Amino acid sequence: MKRIVLVSLMLSVLLFIGCSKKASSDNDNKSSSETTHTESTSSENNKKTELEIARETVIEKFKNYPDLDSTLKHIEDCYKKYWTDPTIANIYYYCTSKQQNRLYYKLSNNKYLESAKEYALKIDPDYNGEFSKEMHTYVEKLFNYKYIKEEQKKAAEKEKNYNQLTDYQKKDICKYIQKRYDYYDKKYGRNTGDKYSDKIMQETADKYGLTVEQVNIIWMNMYSY
């Protein structure tokens, strides 16, 4: 009789231990799952926070120090990382256009005026965020008319094309430019230097759906691809 009671007691203990281990395992799995979810959520929040911080610093710097070179550099760096953010992108276009316009008045060089207009056209006419009112007033004054949405659409498309280029694609563009230089050298039997540079850059811009300035930037950085 005692043996039966002892066996029953041992079975009960083993059953209890087994249940305890299962419960502990379930809790560990649940805890691990919750931790993973929390880490994932935290990571997403951090990414969102980084964008929000970048946007806030861009607004703050342009509001308080709009004419400093360091301000444009900071805004440009943020734009390269978050170029799809409307606020950062439009402030970058506006800031760069104003800088180029200042250089035009200072140096009386039309290339700066053309650059100022190029960046101004990239400003979204439907943008209504920070500094939007002064942006649109600036663009209308720069072009001396209510600028056409079709022109802005073309400018936006070229900017998108440029931002989405891979280093491999940029390298191909540089190869194309070099071939055009080689063509003119061979045609005239001598080193033609920069005589046909403007024509080559315009041809390249038309071929790849870019602006001449974007093509020049790619060509100047050819050894980094």
Side-chain angles (χ1 to χ4, degrees):
M1 185 69 176
K2 290 181 178 179
R3 183 178 295 174
I4 293 173
V5 172
L6 181 60
V7 171
S8 298
L9 181 60
M10 290 178 66
L11 287 173
S12 298
V13 170
L14 290 173
L15 182 62
F16 173 75
I17 292 173
C19 291
S20 297
K21 286 183 177 180
K22 185 177 184 305
S24 176
S25 177
D26 290 344
N27 287 334
D28 288 344
N29 290 336
K30 182 179 180 182
S31 176
S32 176
S33 176
E34 290 175 348
T35 300
T36 302
H37 176 71
T38 300
E39 289 176 350
S40 176
T41 302
S42 176
S43 178
E44 290 177 3
N45 287 338
N46 285 337
K47 288 181 181 178
K48 182 179 179 182
T49 300
E50 287 176 3
L51 171 57
E52 289 176 343
I53 291 173
R55 188 187 299 125
E56 288 172 0
T57 59
V58 163
I59 293 171
E60 186 271 333
K61 284 182 177 296
F62 188 67
K63 182 181 291 183
N64 297 311
Y65 315 102
D67 299 329
L68 293 182
D69 289 339
S70 58
T71 294
L72 179 56
K73 179 64 171 61
H74 176 82
I75 294 174
E76 182 179 16
D77 290 342
C78 289
Y79 172 73
K80 287 178 179 178
K81 191 173 182 180
Y82 302 110
W83 63 274
T84 57
D85 182 77
T87 300
I88 293 175
N90 282 288
I91 291 177
Y92 169 66
Y93 303 147
Y94 181 39
C95 183
T96 306
S97 179
K98 290 188 72 176
Q99 183 223 36
Q100 295 296 297
N101 205 24
R102 286 196 300 272
L103 288 172
Y104 164 67
Y105 281 109
K106 182 178 180 180
L107 303 174
S108 298
N109 190 325
N110 281 333
K111 76 174 185 178
Y112 293 112
L113 178 59
E114 292 306 311
S115 180
K117 289 182 176 181
E118 179 181 322
Y119 279 97
L121 273 177
K122 295 174 185 177
I123 296 172
D124 185 352
D126 296 323
Y127 174 69
N128 60 0
E130 292 285 340
F131 312 112
S132 59
K133 186 176 180 180
E134 61 183 83
M135 283 183 190
H136 300 316
T137 300
Y138 166 78
V139 174
E140 291 167 12
K141 183 178 179 181
L142 183 63
F143 287 93
N144 202 25
Y145 64 87
K146 295 270 186 182
Y147 63 108
I148 305 169
K149 282 193 176 184
E150 186 60 31
E151 291 299 316
Q152 188 277 333
K153 184 179 178 181
K154 291 178 183 177
E157 188 63 31
K158 289 178 180 180
E159 186 70 3
K160 183 179 179 181
N161 290 344
Y162 177 73
N163 284 321
Q164 292 181 336
L165 285 174
T166 64
D167 283 350
Y168 181 82
Q169 290 170 320
K170 290 177 182 178
K171 189 173 182 180
D172 275 350
I173 291 173
C174 290
K175 288 180 180 178
Y176 174 79
I177 294 172
Q178 186 59 59
K179 284 181 180 179
R180 297 305 294 155
Y181 276 111
D182 293 342
Y183 165 79
Y184 286 108
D185 289 348
K186 185 177 180 180
K187 181 178 180 179
Y188 295 101
R190 59 183 175 81
N191 186 340
T192 55
D194 288 326
K195 184 176 181 179
Y196 297 98
S197 290
D198 290 345
K199 185 175 182 180
I200 290 171
M201 294 304 162
Q202 187 61 63
E203 288 175 349
T204 306
D206 294 340
K207 178 179 174 64
Y208 291 95
L210 302 169
T211 68
V212 170
E213 181 170 340
Q214 289 166 343
V215 171
N216 276 314
I217 292 172
I218 292 171
W219 179 240
M220 285 189 295
N221 293 280
M222 64 179 296
Y223 295 112
S224 63
Y225 309 128

